[in-house]
Amino acid sequence: THTRTLMLTRGTQVMLPLMTTWWLVSCLTNMALPPTLNLLGEMMIITALFNWNNATIFFTAITTLITATYSLYVFLCLQHNKTTTVTPATPTTTREHLLMTLHFLPLMILMLHPNLLF
């Protein structure tokens, strides 16, 4: 859409259905859905903070909840609202989907086989 304004990119589910799938995968990864690496990182942070001070578990839970809520809110606002007539939508190309796949594929490999790093 050639804009960084999120209000101009509403309703992209109708215009770019496959990009909606990539947005969903990104949002679910951001929310630390199992078995993503974000979940592992958040669990390590939560256990370290809980061992340091028991009161930090409350703040960590609140920030985790806010992150998940905001990710879902952004996904729903951008994908399921009415489309804007101001922003032209060009169809996605194979290059864009290949770029998303090449970003997501190494993450999936690391999620399924974490011992490949060692």
Side-chain angles (χ1 to χ4, degrees):
T1 57
H2 304 291
T3 182
R4 292 185 181 183
T5 307
L6 292 179
M7 293 301 289
L8 294 176
T9 58
R10 293 181 293 170
T12 54
Q13 182 182 14
V14 175
M15 296 182 296
L16 309 168
L18 193 53
M19 285 307 255
T20 301
T21 306
W22 289 116
W23 263 96
L24 180 64
V25 168
S26 299
C27 286
L28 292 177
T29 303
N30 188 37
M31 290 189 306
L33 190 74
T36 61
L37 295 175
N38 289 356
L39 178 68
L40 179 65
E42 282 192 16
M43 294 309 262
M44 290 173 62
I45 289 171
I46 288 171
T47 56
L49 286 175
F50 189 67
N51 289 335
W52 177 60
N53 189 357
N54 292 345
T56 58
I57 197 74
F58 173 74
F59 297 113
T60 307
I62 292 296
T63 56
T64 303
L65 181 68
I66 289 172
T67 301
T69 305
Y70 184 70
S71 291
L72 282 177
Y73 172 75
V74 167
F75 177 75
L76 290 176
C77 283
L78 292 182
Q79 303 302 324
H80 295 290
N81 278 340
K82 287 184 176 181
T83 59
T84 58
T85 58
V86 178
T87 308
T90 57
T92 56
T93 61
T94 306
R95 179 184 62 107
E96 293 164 345
H97 296 296
L98 179 66
L99 181 71
M100 294 299 290
T101 303
L102 290 177
H103 276 86
F104 188 67
L105 194 63
L107 288 175
M108 285 298 296
I109 291 171
L110 284 175
M111 283 185 259
L112 298 175
H113 299 291
N115 56 357
L116 290 176
L117 290 176
F118 300 110

